[in-house]
Amino acid sequence: MKTYFRVNFFALVFLFFGLIGCQETKRELSDSDIVNAKIDSLINEMTLVEKVNMIHGSSSFTSGGVERLGIPELVMSDGPHGVRHEHGRDWSKDEDVLDSGTYLPTGTALAATWNPDLGYEFGKVLGSEAKFRGKDIILGPGLNIIRTPLNGRNFEYMTEDPYLNSKMVVGYVKGVQDQGIAACAKHYIANNQEFERNQVNIEMSDRAFREIYLPGFKAAVQEGEVLSVMGAYNKFRGEYCNQNEFLLKDILKGELGFKGLVMSDWNALDNTLKAVKNGLDIEMGTDLGMLPNPEYGKFFMGDTVVTLVENGVVEESVIDEKVRRILRVMYKINKFSERTPGAYNTKTHQQTAYNVAKEAIVLLKNDGLLPINKNNAKKIAVIGANADWKHAGAGGSSQVKAYYEVTPLEGITNFLAKNVDVQFSQGYEITKDGGVNTSLITEAVSNAKKADISILIIGWVHGYSDDWNDNAFDAEGIDKHSMKLPFGQDELIKSVLVANPNTVVVLVGGAPIDMTEWVGSAKGIIQAWYGGMEGGNALAEVIFGDVNPSGKLPMTFPKKLEDSPAHTLGEYPGEDLVMNYNEGIFVGYRYFDTYEVEPEFAFGHGLSYTTFDYSDISIEKSEGNVKVSLSLTNSGDVAGGEVVQVYVKDTESSLERPEKELKGFKKVFLNSGETQTIEITLNNEAFRYYDDTKSEWVLEPGKFEILVGSSSRDIRLSGDVEM
Ligand code: BGC
């Protein structure tokens, strides 16, 4: 068995730096003059070749070190919802290692909790497992905005909303980094589709850039103090993101003051000079690194850089600056000192996976069917291939070798006492040809007819099989062709709903589906996302009422694809490899609400088994902030969680503004009959817009409406404020 611990150089490095004392002391010193002096002295010791060795990959998931000086390689791993299986130094899979780990719910599920504290717990698990496995950087969170329902990687990202994105990311990053491991905010920026991702050029207004696509990254940098950022594959305004002066130099390192390192996405460059000069610090992953003869020196940021410096085209100080950033990150993650131990596959980590799954589940519709009283259901039909399909090990780079994965079928059977008869029918087949298997539908219908209750578990998958590279719908490198469910699932759902009206429909997946054919006749619909290793248990507890659902949609579910702003106002998939984001800032509910398009389920929507009453709003201005207070009462019979959402509407403005924008929220748990005063403070930023005619943020004086609700379309209280 291989070992993950790298201890060989520690003693040497300790001597070299003469550093003594505990790890905490070093952390305090890491930005100090002493550390900077040590970094400078290391750089002075290095030859040019040694420096250049540090700015490109040295194996599939490491960048180079300088052994002579005790500088180790940096070790990276995907991310974003589990530490990936081992690759060894090349791309071939290491079979002989213990690398199955905690499989957390994916990004959209995390965002659906609307609970930033869970973001922190989530990050903590990743950091701890990454540390145990000898990693330095975990390649997550994924922060790209969910612009179209078709993007294959939506499941790895979080939301359509920049404010929710910003709030969830900070906890995640801090959770990882408090373990002494670097997080990596990716993919900077506008990798909002997989189709032609390596070539497509994204054009968007300054306003959309500032208001929609940048805030998540800004929060990661300025509030989370993220230590690394990964550039996106696509071009932005004509230049590849990883070589883009505006993105890397002007905005990230300039305006946002990012002090960490920028790495490229794997195999994403096409020009050495631009990459070197425009702010990239490490180039990762190309085919040149593949066996049998890996040639890392031939990377764009390899030997060519040495030649450019020697010929005076690039100043050596430019390379020094990259090495300085890399060394600074190494200090921050205690690379030169002994780390506290990480932990792996612990009960606590599994509990976090469960907690996130439980709070992520969204009850979309309930005509009195849910929760199901298990004492009244003696015969239950569980129908659908997704009921016993395992999702962890596919979908592209985010694949996780799960220590275990409780499927919905297992969760339901574990939960129910033995005297309940659970019958499973597959209902449809997950195959590459996407064909409809009518005999499976017939069998499912007869199962549903005989049952008191049937539970349909349907939706998307990452892969057609358990082959790691067999990407399907929610997957890297490929977008969906449609929002319609594949494999004849609509036919199955309609037939089962006729056979047994007491049917719960559970949707698995990371993105919306077109439900128009059956949404009206389904009495209960649950969005379960990809719930991680504990997803099946959490789902069963929600269905049978041991857990009261408290998740809220982090994205709008349109009725049909054509309703989505990227497909009506904007462009998708673009023409001649150019995508104009003509919808500008009207992404997600900003479009649906302003243009009065009825969604299937609105942003922020999520029902509960209890009811919440909102009352007594007060809006006060103090010291430039606006304090919104209200009373929230759990007026139903059971305990439950609610996400109080605060939206701001600008009533008069020189530039067009969305009907409303999320600017604050709070998740609260109340017992039956309990009342709590909720306070949410909005600062100036909540009222501003980016004026791209003036290139500045503007707070235009005038009246603003404050809308408080249980979703973007379920506003319970409102009031005005003059700014
Ligand atoms: C993905 C990144 C990932 C990297 C390394 C790329 O294909 O876009 O998100 O971190 O591979 O696996």
Side-chain angles (χ1 to χ4, degrees):
M1 196 184 73
K2 291 203 177 146
T3 168
Y4 301 112
F5 301 103
R6 301 158 175 275
V7 285
N8 46 342
F9 45 79
F10 284 156
L12 183 66
V13 174
F14 257 105
L15 273 179
F16 180 77
F17 296 126
L19 275 178
I20 41 164
C22 65
Q23 184 188 324
E24 280 64 35
T25 319
K26 271 172 232 127
R27 212 176 278 141
E28 269 167 34
L29 290 176
S30 54
D31 256 341
S32 71
D33 293 344
I34 302 172
V35 170
N36 288 336
K38 286 177 193 312
I39 289 175
D40 284 342
S41 106
L42 268 183
I43 292 174
N44 281 339
E45 290 273 318
M46 279 184 215
T47 64
L48 175 61
V49 170
E50 284 170 336
K51 290 175 192 169
V52 171
N53 193 44
M54 288 187 69
I55 64 168
H56 62 76
S58 57
S59 80
S60 54
F61 282 95
T62 58
S63 59
V66 184
E67 215 178 333
R68 180 178 75 85
L69 298 175
I71 302 173
E73 291 179 318
L74 265 178
V75 187
M76 305 156 192
S77 173
D78 290 294
H81 45 263
V83 183
R84 193 174 177 179
H85 68 84
E86 294 299 318
H87 282 97
R89 293 194 65 85
D90 56 69
W91 281 101
S92 61
K93 218 163 127 189
D94 254 358
E95 299 292 350
D96 191 21
V97 284
L98 289 179
D99 58 354
S100 57
T102 298
Y103 166 43
L104 293 153
T106 71
T108 40
L110 176 61
T113 68
W114 290 59
N115 185 342
D117 294 343
L118 281 179
Y120 183 84
E121 295 304 320
F122 188 104
K124 208 165 132 190
V125 172
L126 287 173
S128 172
E129 299 215 348
K131 188 157 59 169
F132 183 90
R133 297 255 306 266
K135 314 294 181 194
D136 301 314
I137 304 183
I138 190 88
L139 303 174
L143 292 181
N144 295 102
I145 287 288
I146 295 180
R147 174 178 180 260
T148 159
L150 299 187
N151 179 16
R153 289 185 92 173
N154 280 340
F155 74 100
E156 283 187 64
Y157 304 142
M158 295 206 265
T159 171
E160 67 188 23
D161 181 72
Y163 183 81
L164 182 59
N165 214 18
S166 306
K167 288 296 148 197
M168 296 307 296
V169 67
V170 175
Y172 180 125
V173 169
K174 288 195 166 163
V176 171
Q177 296 192 170
D178 281 356
Q179 296 296 308
I181 296 297
C184 180
K186 69 187 189 182
H187 310 88
Y188 180 67
I189 202 167
N191 187 177
N192 308 107
Q193 68 185 57
E194 288 299 285
F195 182 71
E196 302 285 15
R197 67 174 179 178
N198 298 92
Q199 298 168 71
V200 70
N201 176 37
I202 305 300
E203 295 287 341
M204 67 170 79
S205 67
D206 271 350
R207 190 166 174 207
F209 174 70
R210 301 275 179 175
E211 291 191 20
I212 307 292
Y213 296 93
L214 189 61
F217 290 96
K218 183 174 178 219
V221 169
Q222 297 189 333
E223 294 171 56
E225 297 184 31
V226 73
L227 290 170
S228 70
V229 168
M230 184 191 293
Y233 277 124
N234 48 281
K235 293 178 184 168
F236 179 85
R237 297 183 180 162
E239 185 53 76
Y240 278 112
C241 291
N242 290 287
Q243 316 172 159
N244 192 307
E245 186 172 10
F246 169 74
L247 288 178
L248 303 183
K249 269 182 125 166
D250 300 351
I251 300 293
L252 185 64
K253 293 182 172 178
E255 220 178 285
L256 302 187
F258 176 62
K259 293 204 177 67
L261 65 87
V262 182
M263 72 175 79
S264 72
D265 202 341
W266 270 231
N267 196 7
L269 301 191
D270 83 337
N271 185 303
T272 298
L273 196 55
K274 286 183 189 171
V276 169
K277 286 195 151 174
N278 292 346
L280 188 71
D281 299 311
I282 301 180
E283 179 193 7
M284 288 304 296
T286 87
D287 293 347
L288 294 167
M290 303 284 258
L291 284 179
N293 299 308
E295 294 178 289
Y296 292 100
K298 289 191 180 165
F299 272 29
F300 284 97
M301 297 239 294
D303 299 344
T304 313
V305 179
V306 177
T307 312
L308 288 175
V309 174
E310 283 172 352
N311 292 342
V313 183
V314 172
E315 295 199 9
E316 192 161 343
S317 60
V318 175
I319 313 304
D320 291 352
E321 170 58 15
K322 300 181 194 306
V323 174
R324 183 169 289 110
R325 283 174 179 268
I326 296 167
L327 289 171
R328 180 178 173 276
V329 170
M330 287 185 168
Y331 271 99
K332 286 276 186 192
I333 60 173
N334 307 312
K335 193 68 178 163
F336 297 118
S337 55
E338 204 155 350
R339 286 179 172 158
T340 53
Y344 192 46
N345 285 329
T346 62
K347 284 268 173 261
T348 317
H349 293 181
Q350 291 153 15
Q351 182 67 39
T352 300
Y354 166 78
N355 292 345
V356 175
K358 180 175 80 160
E359 285 197 36
I361 292 171
V362 181
L363 179 58
L364 293 174
K365 182 176 177 189
N366 190 12
D367 288 348
L369 180 64
L370 288 157
I372 290 164
N373 181 342
K374 66 177 175 189
N375 301 320
N376 296 344
K378 291 289 161 239
K379 235 175 172 340
I380 292 188
V382 176
I383 298 166
N386 260 346
D388 79 338
W389 191 265
K390 297 200 173 167
H391 297 280
S397 60
S398 66
Q399 60 196 209
V400 177
K401 208 198 241 181
Y403 186 55
Y404 63 80
E405 180 177 348
V406 179
T407 64
L409 181 60
E410 284 164 353
I412 291 167
T413 351
N414 292 345
F415 182 86
L416 291 171
K418 293 243 165 8
N419 58 348
V420 179
D421 176 13
V422 178
Q423 292 296 327
F424 170 64
S425 322
Q426 196 182 322
Y428 63 95
E429 236 174 333
I430 297 169
T431 56
K432 234 174 197 153
D433 69 15
V436 181
N437 186 332
T438 46
S439 63
L440 288 180
I441 298 184
T442 312
E443 187 198 319
V445 164
S446 109
N447 186 6
K449 270 189 185 150
K450 285 184 248 155
D452 301 317
I453 298 282
S454 71
I455 304 171
L456 267 167
I457 318 253
I458 50 116
W460 304 114
V461 286
H462 295 310
Y464 298 106
S465 69
D466 60 2
D467 181 331
W468 302 79
N469 299 311
D470 205 0
N471 285 1
F473 300 94
D474 275 331
E476 183 173 341
I478 189 164
D479 282 347
K480 299 184 184 77
H481 297 299
S482 156
M483 248 176 74
K484 285 277 195 191
L485 283 175
F487 319 127
Q489 292 183 77
D490 280 328
E491 277 319 300
L492 170 73
I493 300 164
K494 285 189 289 186
S495 313
V496 170
L497 285 171
V498 170
N500 188 341
N502 289 329
T503 293
V504 184
V505 184
V506 177
L507 311 172
V508 174
I513 61 173
D514 181 332
M515 309 177 207
T516 42
E517 288 190 44
W518 45 264
V519 67
S521 42
K523 285 199 211 163
I525 307 177
I526 288 174
Q527 176 67 36
W529 313 107
Y530 294 108
M533 69 201 306
E534 285 287 336
N537 287 334
L539 177 64
E541 291 176 18
V542 166
I543 292 175
F544 296 101
D546 274 25
V547 166
N548 189 353
S550 63
K552 299 276 184 178
L553 287 182
M555 70 194 85
T556 309
F557 277 18
K559 284 187 191 296
K560 49 188 193 311
L561 185 63
E562 302 79 74
D563 291 345
S564 163
H567 299 261
T568 46
L569 302 179
E571 292 178 357
Y572 177 92
E575 238 173 80
D576 301 329
L577 298 177
V578 179
M579 280 275 290
N580 291 299
Y581 285 15
N582 295 330
E583 74 282 10
I585 57 165
F586 294 101
V587 175
Y589 69 92
R590 284 169 167 73
Y591 165 78
F592 285 85
D593 291 354
T594 312
Y595 287 73
E596 296 178 354
V597 178
E598 194 66 31
E600 196 65 82
F601 295 106
F603 174 80
H605 169 74
L607 304 171
S608 167
Y609 295 149
T610 188
T611 46
F612 292 96
D613 290 348
Y614 288 63
S615 62
D616 305 326
I617 187 168
S618 96
I619 299 168
E620 266 171 52
K621 264 169 76 176
S622 78
E623 292 165 16
N625 291 333
V626 173
K627 197 170 91 188
V628 182
S629 340
L630 61 123
S631 279
L632 184 75
T633 303
N634 179 346
S635 51
D637 296 333
V638 289
E642 170 69 322
V643 179
V644 176
Q645 302 164 38
V646 178
Y647 295 85
V648 171
K649 173 178 179 172
D650 193 352
T651 55
E652 18 179 355
S653 153
S654 311
L655 293 193
E656 196 187 9
R657 295 199 70 176
E659 172 65 18
K660 62 171 98 67
E661 294 178 88
L662 181 75
K663 296 296 176 183
F665 65 87
K666 199 167 209 166
K667 188 160 195 177
V668 195
F669 289 89
L670 297 180
N671 288 322
S672 162
E674 192 182 344
T675 297
Q676 209 180 90
T677 304
I678 312 294
E679 282 182 5
I680 295 172
T681 302
L682 311 177
N683 63 19
N684 267 341
E685 288 184 15
F687 301 91
R688 299 186 315 177
Y689 63 84
Y690 189 80
D691 185 339
D692 40 10
T693 62
K694 295 186 187 142
S695 296
E696 62 185 26
W697 287 95
V698 172
L699 201 175
E700 218 171 40
K703 196 172 87 179
F704 291 81
E705 270 179 53
I706 306 289
L707 309 166
V708 181
S710 178
S711 90
S712 61
R713 290 206 167 208
D714 182 6
I715 300 302
R716 307 286 185 86
L717 299 169
S718 64
D720 294 343
V721 64
E722 197 77 33
M723 297 299 288

